[in-house]
Amino acid sequence: MRFRIHPCNLQPATCNLKPKMKKPLIILIAILLLCVLFACNKAVLGYEEYFVNYASQKPYTEAVEVFNVSKDEKALAHPLFNAENVYINRVLSSSGMYVIKDSKTGLEGLCSESEFFLAPIYTRIIEIRGDYAIAVRPIAFEGFTKLYNCVGVVKFRGANSPKEFGFRHEYFAGIEQYKFISDNLLMVKGALGNSYLGQSTRYDFAKIYDFVSGGGVQMLEVGEIRISAFLNMNLSSVSLYDNIITVVNSDENKATFLSLNKIDKQGRFEILLEQNGLIDTNKHTVDDRRHIELEIYYVGNDWFILRSIYVSTVFFDDYDLTREDSKGTTRYLLIRSARLNVKSNLLQSFAHTGVDKMLLVVNKYNYNQMRELADAYNDEEHSKEYNGETFGLYYPPVVPPSALIKDGFTILYYASPTWPQGFLTYVDTFCIMDSRANIIRLNELWMPLILVDGIGVLTADINFGMPPNDAEFFHIDKKRIVADKIIDSRIFYNTVATHAGITLVNRVNLDDPTIYGSLMGAYNTKGVLAVPYEYEELSLFFGEYALGSILSPASGNNVAKKYYRVSRTGGRTELSDVYTIKNGVYITREGKKYGLKANDGTLLIPNRAESISVIDSYLVGGVFVKTAVVTVEDGEAKIYRLK
């Protein structure tokens, strides 16, 4: 990305939560200069040393109904379950659970592919760990005149279920009141049994409970986090890494590290270390300090990465660089990063490593957080209007970056300085860090790889846009295939994804007035153009086929949109029954009824559903894409498994 730079300084900005379509953010010279900056710290074997190699999903041949929540006896026995109103709203891919929603009340419940668990009586299902869920539900308390949304924990599966704990904290969306910090430990701001209703809540302590050992009957208190009278636990984030409890409070510019295994006579966890942020708040006004954020990331073996970022819409003298937000507002940024070993109290700045302008860190320790962001975006409905009718729009995969990297390694995204045409600018790039906080650079890659069947394409994190580049991909043995080279800043490429041996690429020609946005084509593993750049949409190939759409001018100012089944060699057959393109399947429509077909035309679900949703999750269970299908048919909510 290109940033406006203060002549004497450096640095990045807040991250957008949605990926952007590839834009010409930097010129080719910047990319080439970036490669020169990289020095290899370690000899590597092949890309599989660091990146997970996923398999392509096989073509679908059958849709098998696995669960009908509307006919489940346990569901129908619940007094608050109304089968006429329920549908399945979304999939929580990290746990494999499905969220049920009541169309009348908007409340949520829970089921799996084979079992009903919770009736839709909860305002929101927040997080799942094992047989337990953190949830919010509306509760009327005796003596209070209003209904409170309260957060708590519910054991939804197994012995003694369903069983609720807590639900005495009035829920505030911006506060981390309840949080699973491991597979058996729960953090609660304040105390589990205390009432925090009808007041402006300020927690000055937190407790950790073992939610498994009590067998679903009770929560066993492990210890208390009480750091100081000045620490506002209300605004603090609590996590657990290898028996080290971390409490980060950006408002007070402080991170505190405590031992899970050392508890004093008062039942409080012993403090190992307190660390202030890396930006001196004394240089800024009190109002400015509210914009300084402190974040920490764990990489293993007691090593943490600290990042402080100061973001302001008002110019200040020592800013590093600027970025524009989605509304075009300029934000001035200051970023500082360092690595910290909690056991040895060793703090080392990244100032002389070239990675000081840290943007984001991803690994197994924030896997669920990254997956939730990716799943949320992939679940969004994308659409365009043609001739007064709205059609679903196929959108390229958004992958959770934490699932790219192998266990024991971490991806560090950072802003790297370059000097194209004699002026200082920054480009987003990455390096790898091992579990002992050693930096590893891969010279030939400026973004991490998604590896599928031994073929890799560069991918940006959810938060960053991808700059224009060659149409390229990489073999697992580090062989780079350049299928088409960027010509200038007006014609460029973005490699989207690879699947079943075919790599999808966007080509953008800013000087061509006849196209409706970028056009998509595809290459085989040898870098030969297999599918010409003709398609507005082009899905992943499953086996021999993908689905594509082409726009062409029609009468007046209208646009005609035609759908095609596209073969691996570029041949195509026009289809008249496509409503929306998905991955490996497409939705059909007849009147107000919907159905589903595989890419090759195999009928999976006839046009009998009042609604149908195809929900893709990426990099799950060793395959690139895993698809869930949920429908409402004759008022019944069903789940299908594709085979």
Side-chain angles (χ1 to χ4, degrees):
M1 289 188 175
R2 178 178 295 164
F3 313 110
R4 304 189 195 100
I5 307 301
H6 189 270
C8 301
N9 306 76
L10 326 168
Q11 173 130 13
T14 51
C15 296
N16 299 322
L17 287 180
K18 295 183 179 179
K20 302 173 182 176
M21 293 303 289
K22 322 303 176 41
K23 297 180 180 179
L25 302 177
I26 60 172
I27 63 176
L28 179 60
I29 297 175
I31 298 174
L32 295 175
L33 286 173
L34 177 61
C35 295
V36 176
L37 290 173
F38 288 168
C40 191
N41 292 358
K42 177 181 177 182
V44 295
L45 303 175
Y47 294 127
E48 78 277 12
E49 184 177 359
Y50 303 113
F51 301 112
V52 181
N53 186 21
Y54 290 89
S56 293
Q57 184 63 267
K58 301 297 183 183
Y60 298 126
T61 60
E62 185 181 10
V64 179
E65 181 184 327
V66 292
F67 192 58
N68 185 333
V69 66
S70 300
K71 287 187 174 180
D72 184 77
E73 292 183 4
K74 185 178 177 182
L76 294 173
H78 196 287
L80 298 179
F81 182 88
N82 187 335
E84 295 179 359
N85 299 333
V86 301
Y87 64 98
I88 296 164
N89 184 45
R90 68 184 192 274
V91 179
L92 303 174
S93 65
S94 58
S95 63
M97 295 292 111
Y98 291 74
V99 175
I100 305 166
K101 196 154 190 174
D102 188 312
S103 60
K104 297 293 185 182
T105 64
L107 299 179
E108 296 183 345
L110 204 61
C111 72
S112 69
E113 282 189 349
S114 59
E115 188 175 357
F116 169 86
F117 297 119
L118 297 175
I121 61 174
Y122 297 91
T123 307
R124 183 185 170 200
I125 306 293
I126 297 177
E127 185 183 1
I128 292 175
R129 192 67 68 98
D131 298 335
Y132 294 77
I134 296 175
V136 179
R137 68 171 298 182
I139 299 178
F141 289 92
E142 184 178 353
F144 290 86
T145 58
K146 75 170 189 176
L147 200 65
Y148 286 92
N149 269 323
C150 294
V151 61
V153 172
V154 54
K155 187 177 192 293
F156 63 85
R157 177 171 52 191
N160 302 309
S161 64
K163 170 74 172 179
E164 291 185 342
F165 301 91
F167 291 100
R168 303 285 291 174
H169 291 63
E170 184 178 2
Y171 176 66
F172 295 97
I175 301 174
E176 193 180 78
Q177 295 165 292
Y178 276 59
K179 181 182 180 180
F180 293 127
I181 59 173
S182 75
D183 289 339
N184 69 307
L185 296 179
L186 168 75
M187 184 280 303
V188 177
K189 298 283 178 70
L192 191 65
N194 293 1
S195 178
Y196 300 93
L197 300 175
Q199 59 187 8
S200 177
T201 305
R202 180 184 173 94
Y203 310 103
D204 58 2
F205 70 99
K207 288 184 180 288
I208 291 179
Y209 297 89
D210 182 336
F211 59 86
V212 172
S213 299
V217 177
Q218 60 181 325
M219 295 276 175
L220 304 179
E221 183 176 333
V222 177
E224 179 178 298
I225 301 171
R226 191 184 294 267
I227 296 172
S228 74
F230 303 102
L231 185 70
N232 184 359
M233 289 297 299
N234 193 44
L235 301 177
S236 298
S237 176
V238 178
S239 300
L240 175 66
Y241 307 103
D242 289 351
N243 296 320
I244 299 174
I245 302 168
T246 64
V247 182
V248 180
N249 191 311
S250 289
D251 193 52
E252 297 181 11
N253 194 36
K254 186 168 74 171
T256 305
F257 302 85
L258 307 95
S259 172
L260 179 68
N261 299 324
K262 295 181 180 180
I263 301 175
D264 65 19
K265 295 180 180 179
Q266 295 176 299
R268 298 174 182 176
F269 297 106
E270 180 181 308
I271 295 175
L272 299 174
L273 179 67
E274 292 184 320
Q275 175 64 49
N276 289 329
L278 305 173
I279 296 176
D280 186 0
T281 57
N282 293 323
K283 291 183 178 180
H284 304 284
T285 66
V286 172
D287 182 64
D288 283 340
R289 293 181 199 178
R290 298 174 187 170
H291 302 281
I292 295 177
E293 296 180 3
L294 173 62
E295 293 185 350
I296 65 170
Y297 304 92
Y298 188 58
V299 298
N301 292 302
D302 307 323
W303 282 103
F304 289 83
I305 294 175
L306 275 67
R307 187 198 74 168
S308 289
I309 180 169
Y310 171 45
V311 183
S312 177
T313 56
V314 179
F315 173 88
F316 58 96
D317 287 336
D318 56 343
Y319 85 92
D320 288 339
L321 54 82
T322 67
R323 282 188 172 177
E324 291 185 356
D325 61 18
S326 58
K327 298 180 181 179
T329 302
T330 298
R331 295 183 179 274
Y332 299 87
L333 305 165
L334 179 67
I335 298 180
R336 295 291 179 265
S337 304
R339 65 177 189 168
L340 171 69
N341 189 292
V342 171
K343 294 295 176 67
S344 63
N345 192 15
L346 176 64
L347 181 68
Q348 296 177 324
S349 172
F350 283 132
H352 303 294
T353 66
V355 304
D356 185 46
K357 308 296 177 279
M358 196 80 66
L359 301 171
L360 186 66
V361 178
V362 296
N363 55 24
K364 68 176 183 179
Y365 299 106
N366 57 0
Y367 175 90
N368 287 339
Q369 177 187 357
M370 294 295 104
R371 176 161 294 286
E372 287 170 6
L373 286 174
D375 286 350
Y377 191 75
N378 289 316
D379 284 351
E380 283 190 16
E381 295 293 332
H382 304 281
S383 62
K384 278 188 178 180
E385 185 177 292
Y386 301 106
N387 306 339
E389 185 172 2
T390 300
F391 292 87
L393 181 67
Y394 174 80
Y395 209 81
V398 176
V399 301
S402 52
L404 300 176
I405 196 73
K406 281 191 169 182
D407 189 10
F409 297 102
T410 295
I411 296 173
L412 279 66
Y413 295 92
Y414 64 97
S416 179
T418 63
W419 290 264
Q421 299 179 347
F423 64 90
L424 177 61
T425 189
Y426 278 80
V427 62
D428 293 349
T429 187
F430 87 109
C431 65
I432 293 174
M433 180 171 281
D434 66 18
S435 60
R436 297 190 179 277
N438 298 307
I439 293 174
I440 303 166
R441 304 182 193 272
L442 302 184
N443 295 22
E444 64 280 13
L445 304 179
W446 51 273
M447 278 290 166
L449 284 181
I450 307 175
L451 280 176
V452 183
D453 301 331
I455 304 296
V457 300
L458 300 173
T459 180
D461 172 69
I462 304 165
N463 302 284
F464 315 127
M466 288 277 283
N469 197 21
D470 298 331
E472 64 177 355
F473 54 90
F474 300 80
H475 286 264
I476 199 167
D477 61 0
K478 301 184 68 179
K479 180 182 178 182
R480 178 179 180 234
I481 301 293
V482 179
D484 243 321
K485 291 193 72 65
I486 190 170
I487 298 174
D488 54 37
S489 60
R490 309 296 292 176
I491 302 175
F492 55 88
Y493 303 89
N494 292 127
T495 310
V496 175
T498 187
H499 195 262
I502 300 292
T503 300
L504 306 183
V505 179
N506 268 338
R507 184 182 69 184
V508 179
N509 185 346
L510 299 179
D511 294 322
D512 187 344
T514 64
I515 64 174
Y516 300 89
S518 61
L519 294 181
M520 294 187 69
Y523 294 84
N524 62 24
T525 56
K526 295 181 179 180
V528 176
L529 186 65
V531 178
Y533 290 104
E534 297 177 341
Y535 298 91
E536 182 202 24
E537 303 165 285
L538 187 62
S539 73
L540 299 177
F541 273 80
F542 274 58
E544 296 299 314
Y545 300 104
L547 270 290
S549 70
I550 294 178
L551 298 179
S552 59
S555 59
N557 294 322
N558 292 330
V559 174
K561 184 173 186 177
K562 295 182 179 180
Y563 292 98
Y564 297 88
R565 177 177 297 117
V566 183
S567 75
R568 299 172 67 89
T569 57
R572 68 187 187 211
T573 303
E574 186 175 348
L575 301 175
S576 59
D577 58 349
V578 179
Y579 178 68
T580 303
I581 296 174
K582 297 293 183 179
N583 286 311
V585 296
Y586 61 95
I587 297 174
T588 61
R589 183 178 68 173
E590 184 176 348
K592 294 184 178 181
K593 296 289 186 177
Y594 300 89
L596 195 69
K597 286 186 176 181
N599 279 4
D600 65 358
T602 299
L603 180 64
L604 302 174
I605 301 174
N607 291 323
R608 64 190 182 205
E610 292 91 76
S611 69
I612 186 168
S613 294
V614 178
I615 306 169
D616 291 326
S617 300
Y618 296 96
L619 313 187
V620 179
V623 295
F624 178 71
V625 58
K626 183 177 180 181
T627 301
V629 178
V630 297
T631 67
V632 175
E633 301 172 37
D634 294 327
E636 297 176 358
K638 299 181 179 182
I639 299 175
Y640 288 86
R641 181 183 300 150
L642 296 182
K643 293 186 175 181

